[in-house]
Amino acid sequence: MTIYTTWDSPLGELLLVGDETPDGATLTSLSMPGQKNAPAVRPGRHHAPGRFTEIVRQLGAYFDGGLTAFDIPFTPGGTDFQRRVWQALEHIPYGTSTTYGQLTEGLGVPREQVQAVGAAIGANPLLLVRPCHRVIGADGTMRGYAGGVERKVWLLTHEGALQPTLI
């Protein structure tokens, strides 16, 4: 059964969607307000906040600065290529970033397919917990992020990969 809950975070209200399990839920989607192509709660989905207790605990610990790696079960999705790219995202350490080109090279994908890697990153349904925000442009610029570039900057600053700006 598909279930969902919402959770208030420093980035706004997060929508968590998952499949119910005996122990809670496997996460299918984590999205943010105003996110490009964000899923909506559909009829037939059941609001079940208690099934997301462990996931919400980990999100809270992350935002409080006490968690640097998530241990959340995910519901498989995407194409074989997308899953390969998403798995590579999960290996980018907290507090660091990589470039689209470096990720492409690490995957053994030809350089001319860097846009396909970028498209797979953009299709990541698990923002934040599968850290696509840690991928930046070769020149250090913040390229697209489905949750918004300002949230990408916030996350990278929170993790210590970017220094806060003084204005």
Side-chain angles (χ1 to χ4, degrees):
M1 175 184 335
T2 302
I3 56 175
Y4 76 94
T5 194
T6 57
W7 184 70
D8 288 325
S9 80
L11 300 175
E13 186 178 70
L14 303 180
L15 173 62
L16 289 77
V17 178
D19 292 324
E20 188 171 27
T21 68
D23 299 330
T26 58
L27 195 60
T28 304
S29 169
L30 188 153
S31 57
M32 302 175 185
Q35 176 182 324
K36 184 173 54 173
N37 301 317
V41 176
R42 295 186 207 137
R45 291 187 175 171
H46 298 277
H47 186 241
R51 306 306 273 164
F52 291 91
T53 301
E54 176 56 20
I55 296 169
V56 167
R57 184 198 66 74
Q58 289 187 44
L59 289 169
Y62 168 82
F63 284 114
D64 289 343
L67 184 73
T68 60
F70 292 100
D71 184 19
I72 295 173
F74 304 138
T75 302
T79 65
D80 288 343
F81 181 74
Q82 287 172 330
R83 285 192 302 273
R84 197 166 142 228
V85 172
W86 297 342
Q87 185 175 33
L89 294 175
E90 293 171 16
H91 295 287
I92 304 170
Y94 179 95
T96 68
S97 63
T98 191
T99 67
Y100 291 92
Q102 289 169 328
L103 191 65
T104 300
E105 183 179 321
L107 287 164
V109 174
R111 186 102 175 127
E112 58 272 9
Q113 292 183 0
V114 70
Q115 288 182 325
V117 171
I121 292 168
N124 174 19
L126 299 168
L127 295 190
L128 176 64
V129 297
R130 185 182 285 140
C132 55
H133 60 276
R134 296 180 188 154
V135 183
I136 62 174
D139 60 359
T141 57
M142 300 298 116
R143 301 297 166 111
Y145 182 63
V149 171
E150 67 285 346
R151 287 189 180 117
K152 182 174 190 163
V153 169
W154 190 96
L155 288 165
L156 289 171
T157 303
H158 171 71
E159 294 181 358
L162 286 179
Q163 295 301 309
T165 56
L166 300 175
I167 298 178

